[in-house]
Amino acid sequence: MSISLCRTCPVCGDARCSDPAECLYFLTSRPWADCGICAGSGFAGDFSPLDVFCPICGGSGLAEYTPGEITSDEISDNAKERHAAQIARLSALVPPAGLAVAA
């Protein structure tokens, strides 16, 4: 019987992710603001009557923007707080860079 040490990346959700720390960096290196479809609620509403959660943001209420596409003052305080909470949660799950498990 063998036990696999492979786990799904807590950031991107991919079991084949080679570097969760890089995924976390990507998540923190771009501006995130309220989703333009659900206005930050996370619910599909009339946009997609067959879905409960917004299909664009997956229910997070946050959407990624290209750097320079949105300014910090255009990001609501609520979106900043939700993004910071998500980063804090994921940071606790992602091992520090360079930490390796011996086989």
Side-chain angles (χ1 to χ4, degrees), residues 6 17 29 48 51 64 66 76 82 87 92 99:
C6 295
C17 178
S29 66
S48 183
D51 292 322
E64 174 190 2
T66 304
S76 72
R82 287 193 324 271
I87 296 301
L99 181 64

Side-chain angles (χ1 to χ4, degrees), residues 6-98:
C6 295
R7 293 181 14 181
T8 302
C9 174
V11 181
C12 69
D14 190 349
R16 297 170 299 183
C17 178
S18 62
D19 191 357
E22 185 176 325
C23 290
L24 187 59
Y25 170 75
F26 184 80
L27 186 63
T28 59
S29 66
R30 282 145 175 68
W32 289 77
D34 289 320
C35 174
I37 300 301
C38 68
S41 74
F43 293 102
D46 294 334
F47 177 75
S48 183
L50 299 178
D51 292 322
V52 173
F53 298 108
C54 176
I56 304 304
C57 68
S60 71
L62 295 170
E64 174 190 2
Y65 290 82
T66 304
E69 184 179 11
I70 192 169
T71 61
S72 182
D73 59 328
E74 293 176 291
I75 302 173
S76 72
D77 290 339
N78 193 9
K80 289 176 185 176
E81 290 171 9
R82 287 193 324 271
H83 186 249
Q86 180 73 340
I87 296 301
R89 185 184 72 77
L90 293 173
S91 294
L93 298 173
V94 174

